[in-house]
Amino acid sequence: VGAAWEVLRDASVIVGLHPDQAVGAMVALALRLKKPFAAVPCCVYSKEFPRRRLDGGQQVRTYEQLVAWLQQQHPEVKVATLDFEGKNKVLWWRPTADEPEGRGDEA
């Protein structure tokens, strides 16, 4: 665990391409460590993460809702569309020098 933590702590950026169940934890970690991140989510796994809720209280069940949920983790999370078919949204964030902590929900 110690060596893995050192790698994550010392990383200059955190990237996830199709990170499946880890996407929420990945974003939460990046926000807590104030590390830039880029994530291309794919699968929602709504049954495994029933506590993932949009700000209005709706459970995250679709890809579009997952993208929205990840965006709501911090007001500066951006979304861009990549030039390929399928699940092609990339969410990214780059902290500023005086960055407050984001929500970093891990559910």
Side-chain angles (χ1 to χ4, degrees):
V1 175
W5 172 246
E6 286 180 33
V7 169
L8 291 170
R9 185 193 63 215
D10 296 342
S12 57
V13 65
I14 298 175
V15 178
L17 177 59
H18 201 312
D20 287 334
Q21 294 100 321
V23 71
M26 185 201 109
V27 169
L29 177 70
L31 292 172
R32 287 191 180 148
L33 295 178
K34 298 181 182 179
K35 302 280 186 184
F37 76 82
V40 181
C42 185
C43 304
V44 178
Y45 293 99
S46 61
K47 290 182 182 179
E48 291 182 33
F49 297 99
R51 293 183 305 178
R52 284 182 180 168
R53 303 277 173 177
L54 297 172
D55 283 340
Q58 187 176 18
Q59 183 182 355
V60 173
R61 294 184 186 275
T62 68
Y63 175 73
E64 292 76 19
Q65 290 172 330
L66 177 61
V67 170
W69 179 78
L70 291 166
Q71 265 192 291
Q72 77 184 28
Q73 302 309 302
H74 191 285
E76 296 299 319
V77 171
K78 309 284 190 242
V79 178
T81 302
L82 301 172
D83 189 22
F84 59 81
E85 299 280 326
K87 306 293 191 329
N88 60 356
K89 303 292 184 194
V90 59
L91 293 103
W92 60 276
W93 175 75
R94 185 174 44 209
T96 59
D98 59 342
E99 187 63 45
E101 280 194 25
R103 287 169 47 170
D105 291 347
E106 294 181 48

